[in-house]
Protein backbone atom coordinates (compact mmCIF):
# COMPACT_ATOMS: atom_id res chain seq x y z
CA UNK A 1 0.00 0.00 0.00
CA UNK A 2 1.54 3.34 -0.99
CA UNK A 3 2.01 6.25 1.43
CA UNK A 4 -0.86 8.36 0.03
CA UNK A 5 -3.28 5.47 0.36
CA UNK A 6 -2.14 4.78 3.91
CA UNK A 7 -2.70 8.40 4.89
CA UNK A 8 -6.12 8.41 3.23
CA UNK A 9 -7.16 5.19 4.98
CA UNK A 10 -5.82 6.43 8.32
CA UNK A 11 -7.79 9.65 7.89
CA UNK A 12 -10.95 7.62 7.22
CA UNK A 13 -10.39 5.55 10.36
CA UNK A 14 -9.81 8.60 12.57
CA UNK A 15 -12.82 10.41 11.13
CA UNK A 16 -15.17 7.46 11.52
CA UNK A 17 -14.05 6.65 15.07
CA UNK A 18 -14.15 10.22 16.42
CA UNK A 19 -17.62 10.88 15.01
CA UNK A 20 -19.03 7.52 16.09
CA UNK A 21 -17.64 7.52 19.63
CA UNK A 22 -18.50 11.17 20.25
CA UNK A 23 -22.10 10.60 19.23
CA UNK A 24 -22.42 7.25 20.97
CA UNK A 25 -20.79 8.24 24.28
CA UNK A 26 -21.94 11.86 24.58
CA UNK A 27 -24.70 12.40 22.05
CA UNK A 28 -22.63 15.11 20.37
CA UNK A 29 -22.80 15.18 16.57
CA UNK A 30 -19.64 16.32 14.77
CA UNK A 31 -19.53 17.69 11.23
CA UNK A 32 -16.44 18.37 9.12
CA UNK A 33 -15.58 22.03 9.26
CA UNK A 34 -12.97 24.59 8.30
CA UNK A 35 -13.69 26.62 11.45
CA UNK A 36 -10.70 27.85 13.41
CA UNK A 37 -10.54 26.87 17.06
CA UNK A 38 -11.03 29.93 19.26
CA UNK A 39 -11.75 30.79 22.84
CA UNK A 40 -10.86 28.68 25.84
CA UNK A 41 -9.36 25.43 24.57
CA UNK A 42 -8.48 22.14 26.23
CA UNK A 43 -6.62 19.16 24.85
CA UNK A 44 -6.69 15.48 25.72
CA UNK A 45 -3.83 13.45 24.25
CA UNK A 46 -1.88 10.21 24.31
CA UNK A 47 1.15 8.55 22.79
CA UNK A 48 1.03 5.23 20.98
CA UNK A 49 3.98 2.87 21.21
CA UNK A 50 4.57 -0.90 21.00
CA UNK A 51 3.66 -1.10 17.36
CA UNK A 52 3.34 2.55 16.46
CA UNK A 53 5.39 5.55 17.51
CA UNK A 54 2.92 8.37 17.20
CA UNK A 55 0.63 10.67 19.16
CA UNK A 56 -3.04 11.54 18.94
CA UNK A 57 -4.77 14.55 20.46
CA UNK A 58 -8.23 16.07 20.60
CA UNK A 59 -8.23 19.82 21.07
CA UNK A 60 -11.64 21.43 21.57
CA UNK A 61 -13.41 24.37 23.06
CA UNK A 62 -13.78 23.84 26.78
CA UNK A 63 -17.57 24.13 26.39
CA UNK A 64 -17.58 20.94 24.31
CA UNK A 65 -15.69 19.01 27.00
CA UNK A 66 -18.10 20.39 29.64
CA UNK A 67 -21.08 19.28 27.56
CA UNK A 68 -19.49 15.88 26.97
CA UNK A 69 -19.03 15.48 30.75
CA UNK A 70 -22.60 16.58 31.51
CA UNK A 71 -23.98 14.08 29.02
CA UNK A 72 -21.79 11.22 30.19
CA UNK A 73 -22.53 11.91 33.87
CA UNK A 74 -26.18 12.74 33.18
CA UNK A 75 -26.07 15.82 35.41
CA UNK A 76 -25.83 19.57 34.83
CA UNK A 77 -23.39 20.71 37.50
CA UNK A 78 -19.88 19.42 36.81
CA UNK A 79 -16.53 20.43 38.27
CA UNK A 80 -13.32 21.15 36.37
CA UNK A 81 -11.88 17.95 37.80
CA UNK A 82 -14.83 15.93 36.47
CA UNK A 83 -14.39 17.53 33.04
CA UNK A 84 -10.74 16.46 33.03
CA UNK A 85 -11.51 12.91 34.19
CA UNK A 86 -14.36 12.37 31.74
CA UNK A 87 -12.40 13.87 28.83
CA UNK A 88 -9.57 11.42 29.56
CA UNK A 89 -11.96 8.47 29.88
CA UNK A 90 -13.74 9.46 26.66
CA UNK A 91 -10.40 9.72 24.84
CA UNK A 92 -9.32 6.37 26.26
CA UNK A 93 -12.41 4.77 24.69
CA UNK A 94 -11.81 6.62 21.41
CA UNK A 95 -8.16 5.50 21.25
CA UNK A 96 -9.16 1.93 22.07
CA UNK A 97 -11.41 1.95 19.01
CA UNK A 98 -8.63 3.47 16.88
CA UNK A 99 -6.22 0.74 18.06
CA UNK A 100 -8.79 -1.96 17.25
CA UNK A 101 -9.40 -0.59 13.74
CA UNK A 102 -5.65 -0.37 13.08
CA UNK A 103 -5.11 -3.94 14.27
CA UNK A 104 -7.84 -5.24 11.97
CA UNK A 105 -6.02 -3.72 9.00
CA UNK A 106 -2.33 -4.11 9.92
CA UNK A 107 -2.35 -7.04 12.39
CA UNK A 108 0.09 -4.94 14.47
CA UNK A 109 -1.07 -4.50 18.07
CA UNK A 110 -1.04 -0.88 19.21
CA UNK A 111 -0.61 0.18 22.82
CA UNK A 112 -1.19 3.69 24.08
CA UNK A 113 -0.48 5.51 27.33
CA UNK A 114 -3.17 6.69 29.71
CA UNK A 115 -4.53 9.91 28.19
CA UNK A 116 -3.47 13.26 29.67
CA UNK A 117 -5.39 16.54 29.79
CA UNK A 118 -4.21 20.13 29.56
CA UNK A 119 -5.61 23.63 29.23
CA UNK A 120 -4.88 25.11 25.79
CA UNK A 121 -3.25 23.34 22.87
CA UNK A 122 -0.72 20.53 23.16
CA UNK A 123 2.05 19.64 20.71
CA UNK A 124 4.24 16.66 21.63
CA UNK A 125 8.02 17.02 21.35
CA UNK A 126 9.63 15.55 18.23
CA UNK A 127 6.27 15.21 16.49
CA UNK A 128 4.62 17.22 13.71
CA UNK A 129 0.94 17.35 12.77
CA UNK A 130 0.41 14.69 10.11
CA UNK A 131 -3.38 14.53 9.87
CA UNK A 132 -5.64 17.29 11.19
CA UNK A 133 -9.41 16.78 11.17
CA UNK A 134 -11.47 19.83 12.10
CA UNK A 135 -15.06 19.60 13.30
CA UNK A 136 -17.96 21.75 14.37
CA UNK A 137 -20.42 20.23 16.81
CA UNK A 138 -24.21 20.34 16.67
CA UNK A 139 -23.94 23.33 19.04
CA UNK A 140 -21.21 25.07 16.99
CA UNK A 141 -18.30 24.10 19.26
CA UNK A 142 -15.04 23.55 17.39
CA UNK A 143 -12.69 20.60 17.79
CA UNK A 144 -9.65 19.12 16.08
CA UNK A 145 -8.40 15.56 16.12
CA UNK A 146 -4.68 15.66 15.36
CA UNK A 147 -2.41 12.76 14.48
CA UNK A 148 1.17 13.74 15.35
CA UNK A 149 3.86 11.83 13.44
CA UNK A 150 7.34 11.30 14.84
CA UNK A 151 10.07 13.40 13.28
CA UNK A 152 13.58 12.16 12.50
CA UNK A 153 16.11 14.29 14.42
CA UNK A 154 13.95 17.36 14.02
CA UNK A 155 13.76 16.70 10.28
CA UNK A 156 10.92 15.48 8.14
CA UNK A 157 8.29 12.92 9.00
CA UNK A 158 9.44 9.35 9.26
CA UNK A 159 8.43 7.56 6.09
CA UNK A 160 7.22 4.01 5.69
CA UNK A 161 10.67 2.78 4.62
CA UNK A 162 12.54 4.72 7.31
CA UNK A 163 10.68 3.48 10.38
CA UNK A 164 12.57 0.56 11.94
CA UNK A 165 10.14 -0.80 14.55
CA UNK A 166 6.43 -1.39 14.32
CA UNK A 167 4.15 -0.15 11.64
CA UNK A 168 4.21 3.23 10.02
CA UNK A 169 1.30 5.57 10.56
Amino acid sequence: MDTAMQRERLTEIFDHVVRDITQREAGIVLHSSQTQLEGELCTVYTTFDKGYHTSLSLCAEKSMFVRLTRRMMEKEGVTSREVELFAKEFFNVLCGHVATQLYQITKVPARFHVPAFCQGRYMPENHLPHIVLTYSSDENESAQLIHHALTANGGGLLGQSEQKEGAAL
Side-chain angles (χ1 to χ4, degrees), residues 104-122:
Q104 290 174 353
I105 294 167
T106 66
K107 302 302 182 216
V108 175
R111 302 287 183 264
F112 56 93
H113 294 259
V114 173
F117 183 88
C118 72
Q119 300 292 325
R121 290 182 179 267
Y122 171 78

Side-chain angles (χ1 to χ4, degrees), residues 20-28 68 71-72 90 93 97:
D20 180 56
I21 298 304
T22 304
Q23 185 166 10
R24 190 177 338 152
E25 297 296 321
I28 297 172
L68 179 138
R71 297 246 174 114
M72 290 176 73
F90 164 79
V93 171
H97 283 266

